[in-house]
Amino acid sequence: MKNVLVVVGPGQIGQAIARRVGVGMHILLADLRQDNANAAAQVLGNAGYETSVAMVDVSSREAVHCLVDQATSLGNVTGLIHAAGVSPTQASPATILKVDLYGTALVLETFGNVIAGGGAGVVVASQSGHRLPPLTIEQNKELATTPVEELLALPFLAADQITDSLHAYQISKRGNSLRVVAEAVRWGKRGARINTISPGIIMTPLAKDELSGPRGEGYRRMIEVSAAGRPGTPDEVATVAALLMGADGGFITGSDILMDGGVTAAYWYGELAPK
């Protein structure tokens, strides 16, 4: 049977990773919008990749199960790239928690049930998860292990506790990395690996929305004072993902790789440090 790579959210980062790890595989491109999936399939198809498309709402259990069924009908699922999500400028706190936190946990659970031995996955999180002050040990455990359908009912995720979109985004991305740690145990029992990448400002349409949005000045400041002094590119994220998903990364699972050009370092110990 053919090996299948599933890309949930085939934007610039998802496509860049797929180019690096999807050679010789059947690539299933899934997006909330059919046009986005079709556009990615055309680009990758013209570059010689075998593709098919699907529509998926990661906040819907039924939709994610349908995606899993489609993927397994194509062959052995040996790769998962989860790059879907919404940003603070694009959505309300409730929507961010539903898509970025619950949706990621749902995708990890359902694909963790079918991932083939020797397979690997990567979740694209964010540097924002590294800006959140430390949570309690119990909160960490709850974000990592609470059953998916109970996740959004956690008291510290209530509407009166998460009152702005940035906070919702930060805790969702922290939750992504914690969830991956717990899922790595389950995936490991199937002979598979799963890791998180937490990129900084990577030049994609989503990043451009942020740079031109109400927090744009802060984003430009982050770039200016970072050690790298520039934003990143999707291809740089793909290089890290290729390591994590390939044979050279065979000893890496349950890990989170922060790659932000030094922005988080500047936030905690440099010019971006809160006064």
Side-chain angles (χ1 to χ4, degrees), residues 33 36 85-91 169 201-220:
R33 297 176 177 81
N36 290 347
V86 290
S87 75
T89 298
Q90 295 173 322
Y169 189 72
I201 301 172
I202 307 297
M203 289 313 296
T204 65
L206 185 148
K208 289 183 177 180
D209 282 348
E210 292 296 329
L211 285 166
S212 60
R215 298 183 181 87
E217 183 178 349
Y219 272 68
R220 289 187 290 274

Side-chain angles (χ1 to χ4, degrees), residues 79-254:
L80 172 68
I81 301 165
H82 183 64
V86 290
S87 75
T89 298
Q90 295 173 322
S92 67
T95 298
I96 290 170
L97 290 173
K98 183 70 170 177
V99 174
D100 291 4
L101 181 63
Y102 169 89
T104 299
L106 179 60
V107 168
L108 287 170
E109 176 194 82
T110 51
F111 277 98
N113 293 333
V114 301
I115 191 74
V122 66
V123 173
V124 179
S126 170
Q127 64 176 0
S128 284
H130 292 261
R131 302 277 178 75
L132 199 66
L135 301 174
T136 67
I137 292 174
E138 187 59 31
Q139 287 173 329
N140 284 341
K141 184 176 180 180
E142 287 173 337
L143 285 173
T145 64
T146 298
V148 175
E149 297 307 319
E150 301 172 21
L151 191 54
L152 296 181
L154 291 172
F156 64 95
L157 299 181
D160 62 341
Q161 299 295 310
I162 309 291
T163 58
D164 68 86
S165 293
L166 180 58
H167 187 197
Y169 189 72
Q170 289 176 331
I171 203 161
S172 294
K173 296 306 180 179
R174 175 73 63 81
N176 291 166
S177 60
L178 290 167
R179 203 81 191 180
V180 160
V181 175
E183 281 286 344
V185 176
R186 202 167 64 92
W187 282 48
K189 292 176 181 178
R190 297 182 63 89
R193 299 179 297 106
I194 180 71
N195 291 289
T196 314
I197 300 174
S198 291
I201 301 172
I202 307 297
M203 289 313 296
T204 65
L206 185 148
K208 289 183 177 180
D209 282 348
E210 292 296 329
L211 285 166
S212 60
R215 298 183 181 87
E217 183 178 349
Y219 272 68
R220 289 187 290 274
R221 173 70 173 158
M222 282 191 278
I223 293 171
E224 289 169 4
V225 305
S226 69
R230 63 170 177 84
T233 67
D235 285 345
E236 288 175 301
V237 180
T239 297
V240 175
L243 167 65
L244 295 176
M245 296 182 72
D248 287 345
F251 200 57
I252 307 172
T253 191

Side-chain angles (χ1 to χ4, degrees), residues 46-119:
N46 286 339
Y49 294 86
E50 179 184 350
T51 66
S52 57
V53 299
M55 289 181 63
V56 67
D57 175 358
V58 297
S59 68
S60 163
R61 178 170 286 275
E62 180 182 3
V64 173
H65 277 290
C66 287
L67 178 63
V68 170
D69 289 343
Q70 182 174 346
T72 54
S73 73
L74 294 168
N76 296 315
V77 178
T78 58
L80 172 68
I81 301 165
H82 183 64
V86 290
S87 75
T89 298
Q90 295 173 322
S92 67
T95 298
I96 290 170
L97 290 173
K98 183 70 170 177
V99 174
D100 291 4
L101 181 63
Y102 169 89
T104 299
L106 179 60
V107 168
L108 287 170
E109 176 194 82
T110 51
F111 277 98
N113 293 333
V114 301
I115 191 74

Side-chain angles (χ1 to χ4, degrees), residues 2-20:
K2 196 81 171 180
N3 286 339
V4 178
L5 171 67
V6 181
V7 184
V8 183
Q12 294 298 313
I13 292 175
Q15 287 183 49
I17 299 172
R19 283 176 175 270
R20 292 293 299 274

